[in-house]
Structure formats: structure tokens, C-alpha cells
Amino acid sequence: MTPPFTELAANLDDIAQQGLYRSRRVIASPQGINLEIDGKTVVNFCSNDYLGLTNHPDVVKAFKFGADHYGVGSGSAHLICGHSAAHHALEEELAAFTGRERALLFSTGYMANIGVISALLGRGDSVFEDRLNHASLLDGGLLSGARFKRYAHADMADLEANLDKASGNKLIVTDGVFSMDGDFAPLNELAVAAKKHDAWLMVDDAHGLGVIGERGGGILEHYGLGQNDVPVLMGTLGKGLGTFGAFVAGSELLIETLIQKARTYIYTTALPAAVAEATRASLKIVIEENWRRDKLKQLSERFSVGAEQIGLQVMPSSSAIQPILIGDSQTAVDISNALLDAGLLVSAIRPPTVPQGSARLRVTFSALHEEQHVDRLLDALAKIIVSRK
Ligand SMILES: *Cc1c(COP(=O)(O)O)cnc(C)c1O
């Protein structure tokens, strides 16, 4: 090997030494509670398909209808000739669902976050981000060129001290439900602080939408906050809604600004219209089927109570994300591998996705799990932990 490549090889060795090497598992089955990996069936505890909609017959049927009607590709960007009646109808339904004037589809949540923050802020402005925000929000803040300030997790005093010193337009950005911890952002306090300092507040509700709130309206429904409190709402479609893509919802003025200025909206191909049709079908189920949210809550509570009983360090979470704090990265990987041997798929989440020394097992539940799945996971965890002592 010659120089730049010898360095790459050394970097990979280094990553492996620290127990941080990442690799993929090849899934041969549909998404769901049971996955087939290497010819073996395992129970899935790491999907974000919280409501069990990725392979729902109505959603699949709508997708097929969409492909039959519109074709597979959307042909171009939304602003050229890729914006179909299906996209348009979905945007209107998402606006109604979130109680906002308008919604705008993006191809992924990552792109939505980068596009929105860069459209609203530039040099001379300031962005404030919770330390535990999703990578796409952090990247969006950095790319915007605004002054970039991270505040301690959910720490209002730290945020306010920074807001006091800020200049230019100000944007506070937070996950609604924190993706690797499962806790909720203090949105009432954040909304008050934003108003007091004439700042915008942006909430990324990737893990709340469809899952939290009586009607599945997400973290903002949970707190009872409207468009005036949280002017910028981002939601993803690939998690609770079970399909793919993302949207931003807010005022007419916000959405028109994004259409003119968000580069990740303008310069990319529209997501397939069939995905929009599938999402319209899943949104209907989200709204109508409360049992999915109720079941999810029961399963999560059963797990958190059971995990505490066997002495695991469960992180405080009232969502479907129930992480168990392990600390050391290699230990987290070893436990995850032992669970896989027992037929249970639980992912080990390591730095830099989470802070140094806070590697964890990120257990997630789906409305399609049964109590016996939860009990089987608890039994396996108890055995593995005992055998390691
Ligand atoms: C998954 C996720 C995203 C990215 O959404 P994609 O549609 O997968 O690109 C953004 N923010 C948060 C908090 C997420 O969990």
C-alpha cells in the first residue's frame, strides 16, 4: 500500500482497537418483529418502526398503487416537474395532522435538517443546540455558517446564558424525543426562552411523531404547543410512520422561504410519489389506531420495570426507546453479540453516536411485539449479566 491508503488502514485498525468498528447485518426477510439474518430468525429490538407499519398490508397496497399510477422514479426535483398530486396531498394531510399552516416534504430527515437551518441562518447569526442533538442537526448548524453553540443537555440555565450574549438571528434547535436516550426535551421552557430572546425554536420530532400524544401528534401534542410556540417542526416518515422521507411544518412564510432557499430541497430529486401514497395510508392508520400507541406504552413499561428488577441501569425514558447504560464500548458489543446468539437483536450504540464512556444497548419496542418477547429479552439479559460477573 502507498501513503494515503496506509493511513486509512491505520485508522481502521485504530477504530477496531477501541471497540468502535461498525459493520452491517444483511437482512433477508421483510422488516418486522422477526428478522432473518444469516439463515437464522431473530427477534428484532432495534427498529424505529415503532408502530409496526413498514410492512402493513394497506401501506404496501398504497405503495403499489402509487407505482402503478406514477411510475417508480419522480423524474426530477419538486421545483422542476417532480411534484406529484400524491406529494401535494400528503403535504396537506401532514399540515392538518400537525396543526400547522403548511408542510413541505424533504427526501430524508438528514436533508431536511441541513436545508432548514442553512435557509434560516447565515454568517452573523447564532444557532443553539442541545449537546445530545442528532448528528444531522449538528451538521446543519455547522454548515449554516452561523455561530454554533452547544448547551448542556436540557440545561435551560446554560442555554439562557448563551442566548444573552448572542447577536444576529437566533435559532434554538432540539430533538423532541432524544434519539439515543428516549427522554423528552423541556419544550415548555424552551418555548418561553425562545420568545423572551426573540429566537426561533426548531423541534426535530423524528422519534415522537405518530408515537407520542393521544392522537400520535408527537411531542408537541404531548406538551400542547402550537405553531406560535414552536415555529419550525421537523418530522421524519421513516420511523413511526414506517415509510421514508421527512417534512417540515410551519407558517406559510416559513414554507415559502424554504421553497426558495433550502438547497437540500431545491437541488435534489423528489422522493418517489409511491412513497408519498404509502405514507398517506400509514398516516391514516397512525391517526385511527390508538391501540398501537397504548400497546407500545405497556410493553415499554413492562420492560423498564423488569430491567430495574434485575439490576440493569435503565435510562429514564417514557418513550419506546429504552436504553440500558453499559459504559464501555467493547462490553456493550459483547452483550449485544451474546443476545444475538440467544436469537435477540439489540444494537450496541457507541461513541461518537453517544458521548465517550456512555455506550449502551438501545432497546426499542414495536406495537407488534408481545409481552412474551419482552420477557424473553429480560430473561436473556439476566443470564448474560450474571454470567459476566
Ligand atoms: C433518524 C433521525 C433523523 C434523520 O432522518 P432520516 O429520514 O433517517 O434521514 C433526524 N433526526 C433525528 C432525531 C433522527 O432520529
Side-chain angles (χ1 to χ4, degrees):
M1 264 187 289
T2 49
F5 292 101
T6 46
E7 194 182 319
L8 289 187
N11 285 347
L12 288 184
D13 284 345
D14 209 40
I15 291 170
Q17 290 278 317
Q18 296 173 60
L20 297 179
Y21 208 86
R22 297 171 190 251
S23 46
R24 300 165 305 166
R25 294 192 175 92
V26 180
I27 312 296
S29 58
Q31 279 297 320
I33 296 305
N34 296 305
L35 294 182
E36 190 192 320
I37 301 175
D38 296 333
K40 205 174 121 183
T41 299
V42 300
V43 185
N44 182 6
F45 291 103
C46 48
S47 170
N48 298 317
D49 177 24
Y50 304 115
L51 301 176
L53 297 177
T54 55
N55 196 27
H56 189 288
D58 292 358
V59 177
V60 173
K61 197 170 128 203
F63 184 82
K64 285 180 179 157
F65 163 80
D68 283 341
H69 191 80
Y70 293 100
V72 172
S74 58
S76 89
H78 283 276
L79 286 168
I80 308 297
C81 63
H83 186 66
S84 71
H87 293 115
H88 205 74
L90 175 59
E91 287 182 345
E92 287 174 350
E93 287 157 12
L94 287 168
F97 177 59
T98 56
R100 268 132 176 98
E101 287 170 22
R102 287 192 54 193
L104 187 72
L105 288 173
F106 280 81
S107 293
T108 70
Y110 208 122
M111 291 167 72
N113 284 339
I114 286 179
V116 173
I117 301 174
S118 299
L120 295 180
L121 302 179
R123 266 187 202 84
D125 297 327
S126 305
V127 60
F128 305 88
E129 303 225 14
D130 189 290
R131 185 157 288 282
L132 298 187
N133 274 356
H134 189 264
S136 57
L137 292 172
L138 301 175
D139 289 355
L142 291 169
L143 263 172
S144 71
R147 228 159 309 166
F148 182 78
K149 193 70 214 166
R150 289 170 90 173
Y151 56 91
H153 178 49
D155 186 333
M156 293 306 300
D158 191 20
L159 169 63
E160 296 241 23
N162 284 298
L163 278 166
D164 283 335
K165 290 181 281 188
S167 56
N169 286 325
K170 290 166 254 179
L171 175 67
I172 304 168
V173 181
T174 183
D175 278 27
V177 177
F178 284 87
S179 58
M180 297 300 134
D181 296 65
D183 59 331
F184 296 173
L187 289 188
N188 286 325
E189 290 86 342
L190 284 168
V192 170
K195 280 186 186 149
K196 185 172 142 202
H197 294 270
D198 293 323
W200 285 306
L201 176 58
M202 170 174 177
V203 173
D204 171 341
D205 202 20
H207 297 274
L209 205 81
V211 182
I212 308 289
E214 194 77 32
R215 311 166 30 256
I219 194 75
L220 300 184
E221 186 195 345
H222 171 83
Y223 283 115
L225 296 171
Q227 185 175 294
N228 287 336
D229 308 299
V230 180
V232 187
L233 168 63
M234 195 288 282
T236 59
L237 308 175
K239 289 167 181 157
L241 276 89
T243 60
F244 186 80
F247 70 93
V248 174
S251 66
E252 180 75 28
L253 189 59
L254 172 73
I255 299 305
E256 283 301 318
T257 300
L258 295 180
I259 293 173
Q260 312 312 315
K261 290 185 68 181
R263 294 167 64 85
T264 55
Y265 182 77
I266 300 168
Y267 299 106
T268 200
T269 302
L271 73 149
V275 170
E277 284 295 359
T279 309
R280 297 180 67 197
S282 80
L283 185 59
K284 247 196 203 126
I285 301 169
V286 163
I287 294 168
E288 285 167 7
E289 300 192 4
N290 273 324
W291 69 263
R292 292 177 189 269
R293 284 178 284 279
D294 296 342
K295 176 109 171 280
L296 206 44
K297 204 177 259 173
Q298 284 159 19
L299 295 167
S300 304
E301 276 165 17
R302 188 178 182 90
F303 177 76
S304 104
V305 170
E308 213 147 304
Q309 277 169 0
I310 57 176
L312 294 173
Q313 197 175 345
V314 257
M315 300 175 64
S317 157
S318 35
S319 70
I321 306 168
Q322 294 283 328
I324 300 168
L325 190 63
I326 302 295
D328 176 59
S329 292
Q330 192 57 51
T331 308
V333 171
D334 291 346
I335 298 175
S336 169
N337 287 337
L339 286 167
L340 189 60
D341 288 340
L344 306 168
L345 184 64
V346 175
S347 58
I349 305 287
R350 296 161 286 171
T353 309
V354 292
Q356 281 299 331
S358 75
R360 66 201 64 179
L361 297 167
R362 180 176 181 268
V363 175
T364 57
F365 293 104
S366 155
L368 300 184
H369 279 120
E370 298 300 341
E371 288 186 350
Q372 51 115 349
H373 293 122
V374 176
D375 295 347
R376 209 178 129 195
L377 175 61
L378 287 167
D379 283 348
L381 277 167
K383 282 195 192 108
I384 291 164
I385 304 289
V386 168
S387 75
R388 295 180 61 87
K389 276 188 181 149

